Amino acid sequence: MRKAFLIIAIAVLCVGVISFVSCEQKDGVCYKFDNNETITIPLDKYVSPLSRLQCCKIDGKEMVVANFENSELAFYDIAEKMQVHVINLLKDRGLCAFEYVNKDSIFLLYTLPHSYYRSGISDSVILADTLSFQLIDYDGNVKKCYHFNCDGSNIDGVNLTVKDVLPPYSGSFYHKIMRNGNMVFFYPCRYLYNDVENMRNSKPFIACYDLDTEKYYFTKQKFPYLNDTAYCPILEGSSNFLFFCISPDGLPVLRFSYSSDVFEWDYKNDVLIPHTLKSRIIDTTFLRNASDWPYYEGAYYSDITYDPNMELYYSSIMFKLKNVHTASTIIADRNFNYICEISGFFDNNTQFFHDTIINAGVSLFGDPNICISKCKLDVCDSCDGYVDSMRNLVGKAMIND
């Protein structure tokens, strides 16, 4: 389901018809987003709609870096609409995620080699693989390989193997490398999200890796608000129920799909700090009992991202009800104070350059191309009708469900 929403969102971006309407103002503040530019870069080959893209500036030029699930990183000049550089990657494995920092620093997170995907992979084999997490430069030179060694990490007391805690080698979990300085944050376990027991057990749901010491730090916290009778029913087709971004203080902000609270993870002290950040369209925490598993239609919180320039959070909520499949996004200040709510969807692929918000995706229609949409945040007059209209829409759908 999450992929379906992403595809819809990218399709809307590509045809350039985003129209965000602000609502439910707080203290006289109300926002809207105006789509002021849409750019398409033609491609000469078919690419996956789930390709990984990052916009950046290189030598003063706006660029988009793309991995089309092949063995290269391609760099496109946005103004010239053409490829200008390519970095060849390892050919025996796929790329989960990457982060372009500058010409001297490009992080790569690979899958295990294709030959490793067979039964009986031992922990020693995984630990011996030092190529999965790399730092390279613009010329493709490998500057450092990070060792996935859990020795000396705080894994004591948890019944896990190395295979359980290493980053899941799947693009379904990673759209970009989540990093703040020398700390990289990730999901440490391959949860089967339709497995009730996996949601009740004590496996760590968030972890960090110190690039300097090359050690892991795992949370020992349990899923907030879940117990033997109340837990999250994953929507059919959904691939995740935990989303996170990095706060202005460098802490992961965790958004569980079932909770109207978000949690900052103080990883140094392993403490979850709760903050209320709920939609005003529907008042629920989405906890259900076992009789609802796994077939449930309703609403669930989704991606959360932070705009460091405007000092705002954007947190999306999905509605999957009879005849109502749509999304809304909450805007909050850096202290998690609700400001307003808008129509539309934000995810961690959204990027921020000064006062410009940029989304990049691959077109699903016609000839293949990269679509880049730019918009800006503006203060607008009060328009409280959006939340009321969505409440009515959702309320009717729930009554008829």
Side-chain angles (χ1 to χ4, degrees):
M1 176 54 60
R2 181 169 180 269
K3 289 183 179 180
F5 276 116
L6 286 172
I7 292 172
I8 293 170
I10 291 173
V12 172
L13 285 171
C14 293
V15 297
V17 294
I18 283 184
S19 178
F20 290 104
V21 182
S22 60
C23 63
E24 206 67 35
Q25 64 190 39
K26 176 185 177 181
D27 297 331
V29 178
C30 200
Y31 290 120
K32 70 176 180 179
F33 290 84
D34 292 323
N35 186 30
N36 60 358
E37 186 178 11
T38 300
I39 302 166
T40 59
I41 301 174
L43 301 172
D44 58 2
K45 55 188 174 184
Y46 172 79
V47 296
S48 167
L50 300 179
S51 300
R52 294 152 189 82
L53 305 172
Q54 180 188 345
C55 295
C56 56
K57 280 194 174 181
I58 303 177
D59 298 331
K61 297 181 179 180
E62 290 188 344
M63 309 280 284
V64 59
V65 189
N67 173 249
F68 300 128
E69 298 185 350
N70 54 25
S71 301
E72 64 181 32
L73 278 183
F75 292 71
Y76 292 85
D77 185 312
I78 294 177
E80 298 295 330
K81 298 184 178 182
M82 61 182 295
Q83 181 176 311
V84 295
H85 184 67
V86 66
I87 299 176
N88 292 320
L89 305 177
L90 297 177
K91 298 185 182 301
D92 69 332
R93 62 186 74 199
L95 188 70
C96 288
F98 69 90
E99 180 193 7
Y100 176 90
V101 182
N102 52 49
K103 279 190 170 182
D104 291 325
S105 299
I106 304 172
F107 289 98
L108 305 176
L109 178 62
Y110 284 102
T111 67
L112 287 170
H114 302 313
S115 59
Y116 282 7
Y117 287 96
R118 64 180 185 271
S119 60
I121 303 175
S122 68
D123 294 349
S124 60
V125 171
I126 295 178
L127 286 176
D129 178 51
T130 60
L131 300 180
S132 291
F133 192 21
Q134 297 184 1
L135 178 66
I136 67 170
D137 63 20
Y138 190 69
D139 295 319
N141 300 310
V142 177
K143 302 180 67 176
K144 186 174 180 61
C145 293
Y146 296 97
H147 202 292
F148 287 139
N149 195 333
C150 296
D151 293 341
S153 299
N154 71 328
I155 195 172
D156 295 340
V158 180
N159 185 24
L160 298 172
T161 66
V162 172
K163 288 184 292 185
D164 290 322
V165 299
L166 288 181
Y169 299 97
S170 170
S172 298
F173 293 83
Y174 288 91
H175 297 285
K176 65 180 181 181
I177 293 173
M178 304 293 283
R179 182 185 61 86
N180 180 68
N182 66 311
M183 303 304 292
V184 177
F185 303 97
F186 61 92
Y187 309 105
C189 294
R190 301 180 181 89
Y191 282 104
L192 298 175
Y193 294 115
N194 61 350
D195 185 339
V196 179
E197 292 305 318
N198 264 331
M199 299 185 65
R200 292 174 175 166
N201 64 23
S202 58
K203 289 184 179 181
F205 50 78
I206 190 73
C208 59
Y209 180 77
D210 190 322
L211 296 174
D212 293 336
T213 64
E214 299 185 42
K215 290 184 179 180
Y216 287 100
Y217 300 90
F218 305 91
T219 185
K220 293 181 180 177
Q221 298 287 333
K222 294 186 177 181
F223 291 109
Y225 310 145
L226 301 188
N227 54 48
D228 289 341
T229 59
Y231 61 90
C232 172
I234 300 304
L235 296 174
E236 186 177 0
S238 177
S239 62
N240 202 359
F241 70 101
L242 170 58
F243 310 86
F244 72 94
C245 66
I246 308 298
S247 79
D249 297 321
L251 301 179
V253 175
L254 313 181
R255 171 60 106 180
F256 297 91
S257 64
Y258 59 82
S259 176
S260 57
D261 289 344
V262 298
F263 301 83
E264 285 184 281
W265 181 42
D266 176 359
Y267 58 90
K268 294 181 180 179
N269 300 298
D270 192 19
V271 173
L272 293 179
I273 306 168
H275 304 276
T276 297
L277 186 59
K278 68 179 180 180
S279 169
R280 295 186 180 178
I281 294 172
I282 185 169
D283 184 16
T284 178
T285 57
F286 312 121
L287 291 179
R288 295 294 184 271
N289 58 42
S291 63
D292 295 320
W293 185 275
Y295 305 106
Y296 170 70
E297 290 192 341
Y300 67 99
Y301 289 105
S302 183
D303 288 78
I304 184 169
T305 189
Y306 181 73
D307 181 346
N309 303 303
M310 300 297 294
E311 297 188 322
L312 295 172
Y313 284 99
Y314 305 99
S315 178
S316 294
I317 179 172
M318 303 297 194
F319 298 95
K320 181 180 181 289
L321 298 159
K322 188 174 294 183
N323 301 321
V324 179
H325 289 192
T326 187
S328 179
T329 292
I330 305 159
I331 300 179
D333 65 22
R334 63 175 290 150
N335 297 315
F336 303 99
N337 296 310
Y338 181 104
I339 296 176
C340 65
E341 206 155 343
I342 61 174
S343 171
F345 175 83
F346 273 67
D347 65 13
N348 279 322
N349 285 326
T350 304
Q351 299 166 67
F352 308 98
F353 290 90
H354 302 293
D355 62 346
T356 303
I357 300 170
I358 298 178
N359 280 276
V362 174
S363 173
L364 305 178
F365 308 103
D367 296 329
N369 55 69
I370 296 172
C371 300
I372 300 169
S373 175
K374 296 183 178 182
C375 61
K376 293 188 177 183
L377 180 67
D378 294 317
V379 176
C380 71
D381 296 333
S382 174
C383 46
D384 298 335
Y386 170 71
V387 165
D388 290 337
S389 64
M390 282 296 296
R391 282 174 177 164
N392 291 334
L393 183 66
V394 171
K396 291 179 181 178
M398 293 181 71
I399 291 173
N400 297 327
D401 217 8

